[in-house]
Amino acid sequence: ARATIGLTGLAVMGRNLARNIARHGHTIAVHNRTTAKMTALLDEFGDEGDFVGSESLEDFVASIQQPRAIVIMVKAGEPTDAVIDALVPLLDEGDIVVDGGNAHFTDTLRREQALKEKGLHFVGMGVSGGEEGALNGPSIMVGGSDDAYEKLGPILESIAAEVDGTPCCAHVGPDAAGHFVKMVHNGIEYADMQLIAESYDLLRSVAGLEPAEIAQVFREWNDGDLESFLIETTAVVLDHTDAITGKPFVDVVKDVAEQKGTGRWTVQNALDLGVPVTGIAEATFARSLSGHTEQRAAARKVFDTEPEGAPLDDRDAFVDDVRAALYASKVVAYAQGFDQIAAGSDEHGWGVDPGAMATIWRGGCIIRAQFLDRIKEAYADEPDLTTLLTTPYFANAVTEGADAWRRVVATAVGAGVPTPAFSSSLAYFDGLRREHLPAALIQALRDNFGAHTYARVDRDGTFHTAWAGDLSEVES
Ligand code: NDP
């Protein structure tokens, strides 16, 4: 056996990850259910490094040095279970099985438990950056035992993206911690993209700019606090002209946004944890709404008058307001995502270091942004911070942008342009900030019809009012 690591599942992600590993001088065993993908890899890229190809799973396992490290890069869900089930009988105690697919973290919890009972390490590895990242340096979020990371860490850190000499790869915590933060990462990505899309819509529908002009605006934004892969990519996409029609590319793409599920998972889990991730939730629902084409067509027929909206008296000022609103909303979306990571970590006892997540998301992944340096610094200054929102840098950004944020949301409402992520982020900010919330009335109503009791502002204890009787209050 001469391979230091093995990888099975050679579709786009697995193939590129295998090439990345080989290019970094590690001998890698490769396998795919359909052998042609394995032989194609060796034919096309075999000279990039030391690959050991196998047609059968048995030969593949036998070609890897013990204790073995085997990365599975297949379709998430049942296919992953099928591959694990086929692999396990061929393995020896102490071997490490790594799932690099987009597994739901609860599947990872289950698989880790099952393999531990067999004396095997199971690692849930979140990989971000798409196929390009897999080849040239992804961001890698590893969940698993210390022993497993000791062996895998050096290989993974060598293939990950690097920012300021620091690899974008971290041992997030045990078992499913890596897949959990990858899930939230994707949720944040949903929110980020929705905020960008709303900004584009406002610049086009309210400010009247053409896609190419909006591309220029995004390029300018990319020189400031908003500098990020997604802002840069938005400029590229908006600048693109469709070859067939000569129209802006964005106008020939059907306005139906699909989803593979990680945004939905993030929101479902946030509901369980009781963490308001309103930006991510609205982003996920906005994609769902876009897909309800029949309802949209029906609604367009019935509600066919556009609100007039107030005329824009200063277009440049509005564009700058949108930038400020985008930044403030983005701060909220990230603060919410980091709250969810903290809550998930508490719930499962993972001990996730949020600052380390900001550090490894600075490169390789889709949400890579200059902004993450600020998050990393905020956690370095105050590891147990209550919310990112109130740390000096972000508090300042939100305070400075608040008036612009309100103007943008008000303008959007007036013009009938939906900005669910902008609006819900602002509502979240105001909800946190206000001294009194109408939750008092909700709690009073709950006591009225369900005897759910309430706490008082002026005395300790739990109280109930005899709503159906003499309206006297009893302490319970
Ligand atoms: P796919 O998700 O399309 O999966 C295809 C691979 O799975 C093929 O190698 C296929 O083998 C294998 N496979 C499917 N069913 C089985 C089975 N029952 N038994 C054995 N092998 C099976 O590939 P991707 O490369 O897009 O993604 C791989 C993983 O990485 C997924 O979990 C995905 O969610 C995740 N991921 C993807 C990203 C992306 O940008 N695409 C980004 C980050 C993570 P065969 O060739 O024989 O059909």
Side-chain angles (χ1 to χ4, degrees):
R2 58 190 189 85
T4 44
I5 189 166
L7 189 149
T8 180
L10 299 171
V12 279
M13 286 298 288
R15 183 168 89 147
N16 282 357
L17 210 58
R19 289 173 61 197
N20 187 354
I21 293 171
R23 285 172 174 189
H24 282 87
H26 312 284
T27 301
I28 181 164
V30 286
H31 169 269
N32 192 66
R33 177 180 62 177
T34 308
T35 301
K37 283 207 182 94
M38 184 276 290
T39 48
L41 168 64
L42 297 194
D43 289 347
E44 288 174 57
F45 307 106
D47 57 356
E48 288 187 350
D50 193 8
F51 295 94
V52 185
S54 294
E55 294 192 8
S56 75
L57 211 51
E58 288 77 4
D59 291 347
F60 167 68
V61 169
S63 71
I64 306 163
Q65 287 166 8
Q66 289 181 324
R68 302 180 185 89
I70 299 181
V71 180
I72 302 174
M73 271 325 265
V74 303
K75 228 181 241 321
E78 279 173 28
T80 303
D81 280 316
V83 174
I84 293 172
D85 290 346
L87 266 179
V88 164
L90 309 173
L91 301 180
D92 295 290
E93 210 173 306
D95 285 353
I96 306 163
V97 177
V98 184
D99 175 17
N102 265 337
H104 192 286
F105 79 94
T106 53
D107 282 340
T108 305
L109 284 174
R110 166 177 61 78
R111 290 166 183 152
E112 200 270 343
Q113 199 55 42
L115 265 66
K116 191 155 56 186
E117 283 164 19
K118 297 183 195 300
L120 300 169
H121 295 282
F122 186 77
V123 169
M125 176 174 81
V127 181
S128 176
E131 50 180 304
E132 163 72 18
L135 182 61
N136 296 315
S139 176
I140 308 178
M141 295 145 254
V142 183
S145 66
D146 290 344
D147 286 349
Y149 195 80
E150 205 172 302
K151 167 145 177 120
L152 284 172
I155 299 178
L156 298 177
E157 287 172 19
S158 76
I159 66 158
E162 238 182 55
V163 176
D164 301 337
T166 306
C168 296
C169 170
H171 184 199
V172 179
D175 53 72
H179 273 144
F180 183 85
V181 298
K182 171 69 194 332
M183 173 187 80
V184 178
H185 162 285
N186 284 26
I188 292 174
E189 183 183 313
Y190 273 54
D192 222 339
M193 287 170 66
Q194 176 65 23
L195 291 169
I196 287 174
E198 291 176 13
S199 304
Y200 152 76
D201 199 3
L202 289 166
L203 296 182
R204 190 148 189 201
S205 311
V206 177
L209 299 178
E210 291 302 317
E213 294 173 306
I214 302 173
Q216 181 54 27
V217 169
F218 273 82
R219 270 193 295 272
E220 281 159 23
W221 289 356
N222 201 42
D223 281 335
D225 289 336
L226 281 167
E227 182 190 336
S228 60
F229 169 75
L230 281 171
I231 294 281
E232 188 187 334
T233 307
T234 304
V236 172
V237 170
L238 289 176
D239 240 349
H240 185 53
T241 303
D242 176 51
I244 299 172
T245 59
K247 289 183 183 167
F249 175 69
V250 70
D251 287 347
V252 300
V253 178
K254 208 167 178 176
D255 60 350
V256 171
E258 297 183 353
Q259 45 182 322
K260 276 191 176 167
T262 40
R264 185 176 68 238
W265 294 349
T266 309
V267 179
Q268 285 169 336
N269 172 259
L271 290 171
D272 289 341
L273 292 171
V275 180
V277 291
T278 54
I280 301 171
E282 289 296 351
T284 308
F285 285 133
R287 289 199 195 185
S288 307
L289 186 149
S290 76
H292 287 290
T293 47
E294 279 186 33
Q295 287 184 355
R296 289 174 57 193
R300 261 199 311 276
K301 265 194 212 139
V302 176
F303 311 113
D304 58 354
T305 40
E306 281 295 323
E308 267 183 32
L312 263 197
D313 35 64
D314 185 341
R315 193 159 81 172
D316 290 347
F318 180 71
V319 171
D320 205 51
D321 275 359
V322 173
R323 183 197 53 75
L326 173 57
Y327 195 61
S329 304
K330 183 172 160 133
V331 170
V332 166
Y334 278 66
Q336 292 178 337
F338 275 83
D339 282 350
Q340 184 169 358
I341 289 176
S345 177
D346 279 353
E347 170 91 2
H348 296 279
W350 285 324
V352 177
D353 168 10
M357 296 309 100
T359 304
I360 64 168
W361 291 346
R362 293 181 307 162
C365 63
I366 305 296
I367 65 170
R368 60 184 182 265
Q370 199 198 46
F371 171 81
L372 287 157
D373 267 327
R374 306 286 90 78
I375 298 184
K376 171 180 165 257
E377 288 157 10
Y379 279 104
D381 288 348
E382 203 184 327
D384 294 322
L385 58 86
T386 315
T387 164
L388 266 177
L389 217 52
T390 55
T391 58
Y393 176 85
F394 294 114
N396 189 43
V398 172
T399 307
E400 277 185 359
D403 288 345
W405 202 2
R406 294 184 196 289
R407 283 193 295 269
V408 168
V409 170
T411 304
V413 171
V417 175
T419 52
F422 274 4
S423 311
S424 68
S425 305
L426 180 57
Y428 174 86
F429 167 68
D430 282 330
L432 278 189
R433 186 188 65 72
R434 284 186 79 208
E435 188 172 357
H436 298 292
L437 292 175
L441 177 58
I442 290 174
Q443 196 58 16
L445 288 168
R446 294 182 73 242
D447 187 60
N448 174 293
F449 60 71
H452 291 302
T453 74
Y454 51 90
R456 292 183 58 100
V457 295
D458 54 356
R459 269 183 291 151
D460 288 338
T462 307
F463 302 90
H464 168 62
T465 290
W467 296 100
D470 63 358
L471 295 182
S472 63
E473 183 174 79
V474 285
E475 187 165 357
S476 56

